[in-house]
Amino acid sequence: MLLGFRPSLRLLSHRHQRLQSRCVQSENTATSAAVDSVLSALRSICGEDGVSLGAAVREQHGRDESVHRCCPPDVVVFPRCVEEVSALAKVCQHHNLPIIPFGTGTGLEGGVSAVKGGVCFSLRNMDQVLDLHPEDFDVTVEPGVTRKALNSYLRGTGLWFPVDPGADASLCGMAATSASGTNAVRYGTMRENVLNLEAVLADGTVIHTAGKGRRPRKTAAGYNLTNLLVGSEGTLGIITKATLRLYGIPEAMVSAVCSFPSVQAAVDSTVQILQAGVPIARIEFLDDVMIDACNRFSSLSYAVSPTLFLEFHGSERSLEEQVLTAEDITQSNGGSDFQWALDAGTRERLWKARHDAWYAALALRPGCKAYATDVCVPLSRLPQIIVETKQDLIENRLTGPIAGHVGDGNFHCLMVVEPNDPDELQRVQMFTERLARRALAMDGTCTGEHGVGLGKRALLCEELGPEAVQVMQHLKDSLDPKNLMNPGKILQQREL
Amino acid sequence: MLLGFRPSLRLLSHRHQRLQSRCVQSENTATSAAVDSVLSALRSICGEDGVSLGAAVREQHGRDESVHRCCPPDVVVFPRCVEEVSALAKVCQHHNLPIIPFGTGTGLEGGVSAVKGGVCFSLRNMDQVLDLHPEDFDVTVEPGVTRKALNSYLRGTGLWFPVDPGADASLCGMAATSASGTNAVRYGTMRENVLNLEAVLADGTVIHTAGKGRRPRKTAAGYNLTNLLVGSEGTLGIITKATLRLYGIPEAMVSAVCSFPSVQAAVDSTVQILQAGVPIARIEFLDDVMIDACNRFSSLSYAVSPTLFLEFHGSERSLEEQVLTAEDITQSNGGSDFQWALDAGTRERLWKARHDAWYAALALRPGCKAYATDVCVPLSRLPQIIVETKQDLIENRLTGPIAGHVGDGNFHCLMVVEPNDPDELQRVQMFTERLARRALAMDGTCTGEHGVGLGKRALLCEELGPEAVQVMQHLKDSLDPKNLMNPGKILQQREL
């Protein structure tokens, strides 16, 4: 199922039938007048232009960047403010229509698939940066603001927001999926960097998880609703505003690339650098297949062997010390001399190449699709799991370059799959399950940063145990009793 | 009510009547046989010695270190393992008896008050440090392990756990109240430092918030149950195990004390040191009244004026740079030369004095009781709120030395109150409400680290808005439909 594809476009009449059958459930009138009434209610809230039934628009909103099949919603709405989001949610609640929030569609676990149809809330028209407080290192953004747009906005202030998944995702979408990226080893994930959220619940209620407009750096005021919503993947509410923690741009930054004779040597170096207390900002592993793909895709010329991309942040003086310690460690593990990226342009090119790893992997086999695993294990287990996983890939004749945020114990196999080869699909499916179970057996998790979405619901149960998953279901039921908020994600599908 | 006292010891017969009336509710038999049946069920689980009805024991378990009135539970039980905690919870669930978890009783918001009677679960017999993984910087502890006990256990490993509320609290209790302390500005609060929790829910179900035995540094696997329980103050479950993040002991540490001509100068220095990106480990403000009290209580001789206690962690080289930057800033604000605490002994004495501020404040007026406020505001608002608050204290003739984790925007007025002076009690009550509202008006919170407990339930509603509090009530109802888990805390009391 994970890797299944199906024709994605449904006929308009079919869609109307579905909307109609939902309206029948709720209103007990079996006429298309019910459908018209829903559509006219939606249009009365966000205007004619704010409601789309177009096939192309619906299809675009029914898939993310993963191999999960496209499930278009019945309608896409484009609210312009939280009041409209709330009013639209009330219409959906009244008519039992699923609500699927949509940021940039750059998720990797099928989070935006409208598996039960319903109304997709595209938040792209809410794209303002609000309330920048440079002196307090915080900012509030609307859900259409992406991480790159925020950092552009911050140019000249001396501040930046460091969480950086590969894609230029929306910040509220990143909050919804508990995203992280290359900087997490130093700056944390979205869990550590969201101070407050505004969210619209399934019934249209607007809440502020830490109180309206509040932004203390710490709080002990009641249940941590902020971190309940972070990572809830749109299943508890639509995030309509996020207050984020910002950081001062370090006085100096320097990046380096180091090649190793073996995977074990590269990963051992990572573990030892962290154990030595080096406050490293980024430490990314790329295996030989991955660096080869990046060389080709991004016109680089690094040695084709297991590689670390490193970045150090700090004052000029502290950088020197960090670099010396790191070099000592890598050389004692047989690493090459550091190849430096000193100026901003070279550094940017280096990290763009790392962020483009997904596309570099896809370019290895044109016409194929990609699926990224994202297990995460305690640091000390990392060498073993990567070595075993590489062996597994070879034995099963699979293309899966490895790139990872190894400082967090988190890495990706970027599985490149021929979608029309059922045997290969099957082997990939088996491989990803083995990999997840390998991580679970090492006290780790099946998902470090991509979330559960559609593909890891069964694994979630293995990972947490049925009792904890039952608690999650209770929480979901209490906030969304009709199961309208992004149904079928995280928790196994229940019927409406 | 906040500052009310009442005779704390109830008669045994009264207690038996209460237990009996509860049993009547659930079993519809009005005999003392029901009481005996409850007691014998409890004893069958944790032995004769594991169940106490003694007045002194009950009273000891009905109060914390605050001025909140003592409300003894009907019974105190002393389970030895999670299986016993679970079995005891099932008995309580069956008989509709409130469950009140008890760590060390060092809370400051009445969290252990048995306001509805019931069974206090003292967790002191579960005091083992389990599963230390030095190479992964994590450890798992039972609920009886205190922060000092853990750090003693870690001696020689090169690791430590930095979160340090004033008292030697239990780590699971610290998780339950979302505690922090002087190191939070660098190392975060309990929210950032708990990787996994084992907890027993009201019905006896045992859950592991991140899956049994798991300890990845980051995860995106479903709702963040870990941070839902952190700060839930015993109202959602009894924490029976915590997996914590550890840190390497820095190569070098140095502490310093600096006096200032005004509150504004001290607080401005704090804000500027943080804005300059100095990774300061501790930066604590003490006003003139507080430093005077600490001088007396801990036999120190610092100048009686607004003061900062600072601590720097890092390599020898990086310390030099941190200290130079900090000194530049303090001197530009009129601060004194740094008085150094270089060796471990002097440093320990300095920070013990800071941690003893509570007792130093109490010693200002023997026979009085103390109540600590703990508002937290964005950093830039700190000078204004502290200056206004000092003015308010003077105008209202109140003793309230100020000490605070100013690097987080969090500070305490340690209100020393004559419990038999209703006029003073009234003035303190009015003062604390004004202070909380002042923080709320500055985008802050009424509680940065002590929690809501009994005293801040009304303020919580002002802070978060009724919608967010209603969401908390829904979550509570979904996990504890009978409202047995520490009833009356965080959320307003509902009848059983």
Side-chain angles (χ1 to χ4, degrees):
Chain A
M1 188 205 68
L2 168 69
L3 298 158
F5 294 85
R6 67 161 196 181
S8 57
L9 197 61
R10 288 168 297 184
L11 294 172
L12 193 69
S13 64
H14 175 203
R15 189 171 76 248
H16 262 228
Q17 276 168 21
R18 281 212 335 210
L19 258 181
Q20 194 169 315
S21 81
R22 276 181 229 290
C23 296
V24 169
Q25 284 183 348
S26 66
E27 294 182 350
N28 218 19
T29 58
T31 66
S32 71
V35 176
D36 293 340
S37 133
V38 169
L39 291 173
S40 100
L42 299 176
R43 287 186 183 119
S44 76
I45 293 163
C46 47
E48 283 292 328
D49 292 349
V51 179
S52 178
L53 292 162
V57 172
R58 293 190 305 105
E59 183 163 6
Q60 179 208 336
H61 287 83
R63 66 152 58 101
D64 58 16
E65 294 199 356
S66 72
V67 292
H68 290 288
R69 67 183 186 187
C70 179
C71 293
D74 298 302
V75 191
V76 183
V77 293
F78 299 88
R80 292 158 294 193
C81 59
V82 63
E83 291 76 14
E84 289 188 3
V85 175
S86 169
L88 292 165
K90 283 177 186 158
V91 172
C92 292
Q93 178 78 203
H94 182 70
H95 294 283
N96 293 323
L97 295 169
I99 295 169
I100 304 106
F102 189 99
T104 52
T106 47
L108 296 172
E109 280 301 342
V112 298
S113 280
V115 290
K116 284 282 184 182
V119 181
C120 173
F121 284 52
S122 165
L123 300 158
R124 72 175 186 204
N125 289 341
M126 296 168 68
D127 62 352
Q128 297 301 300
V129 177
L130 311 164
D131 300 329
L132 170 64
H133 296 102
E135 70 288 7
D136 293 320
F137 293 63
D138 66 58
V139 70
T140 300
V141 296
E142 288 192 331
V145 178
T146 67
R147 66 177 183 88
K148 287 185 184 171
L150 175 61
N151 281 323
S152 293
Y153 182 93
L154 293 173
R155 204 159 286 157
T157 64
L159 298 171
W160 70 310
F161 184 71
V163 184
D164 66 332
D168 185 23
S170 70
L171 293 153
C172 291
M174 286 162 58
T177 50
S178 196
S180 44
T182 65
N183 288 299
V185 62
R186 166 84 169 254
Y187 299 94
T189 72
M190 290 306 282
R191 291 187 176 204
E192 289 83 30
N193 287 296
V194 178
L195 296 174
N196 199 351
L197 292 171
E198 177 186 83
V200 176
L201 306 184
D203 65 359
T205 303
V206 180
I207 64 164
H208 297 86
T209 56
K212 190 169 182 177
R214 310 211 170 281
R215 49 197 181 84
R217 286 170 70 90
K218 68 183 193 188
T219 169
Y223 305 151
N224 188 340
L225 298 184
T226 306
N227 270 333
L228 181 63
L229 278 170
V230 171
S232 64
E233 303 186 26
T235 65
L236 299 180
I238 306 169
I239 298 173
T240 49
K241 220 177 261 178
T243 302
L244 306 169
R245 190 180 271 234
L246 300 174
Y247 294 81
I249 294 175
E251 181 186 313
M253 300 190 189
V254 60
S255 301
V257 177
C258 184
S259 307
F260 292 85
S262 68
V263 172
Q264 182 90 35
V267 182
D268 282 351
S269 298
T270 306
V271 175
Q272 291 162 21
I273 287 169
L274 289 164
Q275 284 172 348
V278 177
I280 198 152
R282 290 165 152 169
I283 185 159
E284 294 285 310
F285 171 77
L286 297 88
D287 76 351
D288 51 343
V289 187
M290 188 77 255
I291 194 78
D292 189 32
C294 286
N295 276 342
R296 291 174 203 213
F297 189 79
S298 301
S299 306
L300 303 171
S301 53
Y302 294 113
V304 177
S305 63
T307 302
L308 288 179
F309 284 8
L310 307 102
E311 189 163 273
F312 305 89
H313 293 177
S315 64
E316 293 284 359
R317 280 181 64 175
S318 78
L319 277 206
E320 202 184 313
E321 191 178 21
Q322 292 183 40
V323 166
L324 282 175
T325 309
E327 262 188 324
D328 269 1
I329 290 171
T330 52
Q331 295 198 347
S332 75
N333 285 293
S336 69
D337 287 342
F338 280 5
Q339 289 176 264
W340 297 104
L342 295 169
D343 62 292
T346 316
R347 268 201 303 110
E348 258 167 44
R349 216 153 60 88
L350 178 68
W351 292 106
K352 182 162 187 328
R354 168 63 190 88
H355 281 133
D356 284 345
W358 173 265
Y359 307 106
L362 273 172
L364 287 176
R365 293 176 70 189
C368 285
K369 294 274 183 180
Y371 176 78
T373 68
D374 72 319
V375 301
C376 184
V377 295
L379 221 51
S380 66
R381 313 306 303 268
L382 204 50
Q384 188 190 347
I385 194 170
I386 294 190
V387 168
E388 286 180 16
T389 300
K390 276 201 69 87
Q391 192 60 36
D392 190 344
L393 285 166
I394 293 164
E395 280 167 14
N396 289 282
R397 294 167 290 119
L398 293 170
T399 311
I402 293 179
H405 320 307
V406 283
D408 303 318
N410 181 212
F411 69 94
H412 310 295
C413 296
L414 300 169
M415 306 306 300
V416 188
V417 197
E418 166 54 64
N420 301 314
D421 181 343
D423 173 65
E424 184 176 340
L425 285 172
Q426 173 70 12
R427 280 182 290 123
V428 168
Q429 172 89 44
M430 303 291 283
F431 166 82
T432 58
E433 284 181 16
R434 276 195 306 279
L435 173 53
R437 297 211 170 93
R438 202 175 290 134
L440 295 186
M442 293 185 187
D443 299 345
T445 173
C446 68
T447 175
E449 56 179 16
H450 294 169
V452 174
L454 289 170
K456 296 176 194 141
R457 292 173 298 176
L459 285 166
L460 186 72
C461 223
E462 288 182 40
E463 176 167 333
L464 300 180
E467 297 83 2
V469 172
Q470 187 59 51
V471 165
M472 291 182 186
Q473 185 69 58
H474 286 322
L475 299 177
K476 165 79 172 167
D477 292 345
S478 73
L479 300 188
D480 178 21
K482 290 179 167 182
N483 189 24
L484 297 178
M485 284 302 316
N486 208 5
K489 313 302 162 57
I490 300 183
L491 301 164
Q492 298 283 350
Q493 186 74 29
R494 292 180 306 145
E495 285 307 304
L496 288 181
Chain B
M1 188 207 69
L2 169 68
L3 297 159
F5 293 88
R6 65 161 199 185
S8 56
L9 197 61
R10 288 166 299 184
L11 292 173
L12 192 68
S13 63
H14 176 200
R15 190 171 76 247
H16 261 228
Q17 278 167 20
R18 283 213 331 208
L19 257 181
Q20 195 168 312
S21 81
R22 275 180 229 288
C23 297
V24 170
Q25 283 183 350
S26 67
E27 294 182 350
N28 219 19
T29 57
T31 66
S32 71
V35 176
D36 293 340
S37 132
V38 169
L39 291 173
S40 98
L42 299 176
R43 287 186 182 117
S44 75
I45 293 163
C46 47
E48 284 291 330
D49 293 348
V51 179
S52 177
L53 292 161
V57 172
R58 293 190 304 105
E59 184 164 5
Q60 180 208 336
H61 287 81
R63 66 152 58 102
D64 58 14
E65 294 198 359
S66 73
V67 292
H68 290 287
R69 67 183 188 188
C70 179
C71 294
D74 298 303
V75 192
V76 183
V77 294
F78 299 88
R80 293 158 295 193
C81 59
V82 63
E83 291 78 13
E84 290 188 2
V85 175
S86 169
L88 291 165
K90 282 176 185 157
V91 173
C92 293
Q93 178 77 203
H94 183 70
H95 294 283
N96 293 324
L97 295 169
I99 296 169
I100 304 105
F102 189 100
T104 52
T106 47
L108 295 173
E109 280 302 341
V112 298
S113 280
V115 289
K116 284 283 184 179
V119 181
C120 173
F121 284 54
S122 165
L123 300 158
R124 71 174 188 206
N125 289 343
M126 296 168 67
D127 62 353
Q128 297 302 299
V129 177
L130 311 165
D131 300 328
L132 171 63
H133 296 101
E135 70 287 9
D136 292 320
F137 293 62
D138 67 58
V139 69
T140 299
V141 296
E142 288 192 333
V145 178
T146 67
R147 67 178 182 88
K148 287 186 184 171
L150 175 61
N151 281 323
S152 293
Y153 182 93
L154 293 173
R155 205 160 284 159
T157 63
L159 298 171
W160 71 310
F161 184 71
V163 185
D164 66 332
D168 185 23
S170 69
L171 292 153
C172 290
M174 285 163 58
T177 50
S178 196
S180 45
T182 66
N183 288 300
V185 61
R186 167 82 170 255
Y187 299 95
T189 72
M190 291 305 282
R191 290 187 176 203
E192 289 83 30
N193 288 296
V194 178
L195 295 174
N196 199 350
L197 293 171
E198 177 186 81
V200 176
L201 306 185
D203 65 0
T205 302
V206 180
I207 64 164
H208 297 85
T209 56
K212 190 169 184 178
R214 310 209 171 282
R215 48 195 183 84
R217 288 170 68 91
K218 69 182 192 189
T219 169
Y223 304 151
N224 188 339
L225 298 183
T226 306
N227 271 333
L228 181 64
L229 279 169
V230 170
S232 64
E233 304 186 27
T235 63
L236 299 179
I238 306 170
I239 298 173
T240 50
K241 218 176 265 178
T243 302
L244 305 170
R245 189 180 272 233
L246 299 175
Y247 293 81
I249 294 176
E251 182 187 309
M253 298 189 192
V254 59
S255 301
V257 176
C258 184
S259 308
F260 291 86
S262 67
V263 172
Q264 182 90 35
V267 181
D268 282 351
S269 298
T270 306
V271 174
Q272 291 161 20
I273 286 169
L274 289 164
Q275 284 173 347
V278 176
I280 198 152
R282 290 164 152 170
I283 186 160
E284 293 286 310
F285 171 77
L286 298 89
D287 76 351
D288 52 343
V289 187
M290 188 77 256
I291 193 77
D292 190 32
C294 286
N295 277 342
R296 291 174 202 213
F297 187 80
S298 301
S299 306
L300 302 171
S301 53
Y302 294 113
V304 177
S305 62
T307 301
L308 288 179
F309 285 8
L310 306 103
E311 189 163 273
F312 305 88
H313 293 178
S315 65
E316 293 285 359
R317 279 181 65 175
S318 78
L319 277 206
E320 203 184 312
E321 192 178 21
Q322 291 183 43
V323 166
L324 282 175
T325 310
E327 262 188 323
D328 268 359
I329 290 171
T330 53
Q331 294 198 346
S332 74
N333 284 293
S336 68
D337 287 343
F338 280 5
Q339 288 177 265
W340 297 103
L342 296 169
D343 63 292
T346 317
R347 268 201 305 110
E348 259 167 43
R349 216 154 59 88
L350 179 68
W351 292 107
K352 182 162 188 327
R354 169 63 190 86
H355 281 134
D356 284 345
W358 174 264
Y359 306 106
L362 274 172
L364 287 176
R365 294 176 67 188
C368 286
K369 294 274 182 179
Y371 176 77
T373 67
D374 73 319
V375 301
C376 185
V377 295
L379 220 52
S380 65
R381 313 306 303 268
L382 204 52
Q384 187 190 349
I385 195 170
I386 294 190
V387 168
E388 287 181 15
T389 300
K390 279 203 64 91
Q391 192 59 35
D392 190 344
L393 286 165
I394 292 164
E395 279 167 14
N396 289 282
R397 294 165 290 119
L398 293 169
T399 310
I402 293 178
H405 318 308
V406 283
D408 303 317
N410 181 213
F411 69 94
H412 310 295
C413 297
L414 300 169
M415 306 307 299
V416 189
V417 198
E418 166 54 66
N420 300 314
D421 181 344
D423 172 64
E424 185 176 340
L425 285 172
Q426 173 71 10
R427 279 183 290 125
V428 168
Q429 173 87 46
M430 304 289 285
F431 166 82
T432 59
E433 285 182 15
R434 274 195 307 278
L435 173 54
R437 297 210 172 95
R438 202 175 289 136
L440 295 187
M442 293 184 187
D443 299 345
T445 173
C446 68
T447 175
E449 58 180 14
H450 295 170
V452 175
L454 290 170
K456 297 177 194 138
R457 292 174 296 178
L459 285 166
L460 185 72
C461 225
E462 287 181 40
E463 178 167 333
L464 300 181
E467 297 84 2
V469 172
Q470 187 59 49
V471 166
M472 293 182 185
Q473 186 68 58
H474 285 323
L475 299 177
K476 165 79 171 165
D477 293 345
S478 72
L479 299 187
D480 178 21
K482 290 180 168 183
N483 189 23
L484 296 177
M485 285 302 316
N486 207 7
K489 313 301 160 59
I490 300 183
L491 300 164
Q492 299 283 350
Q493 185 75 30
R494 290 180 308 143
E495 285 309 304
L496 290 179

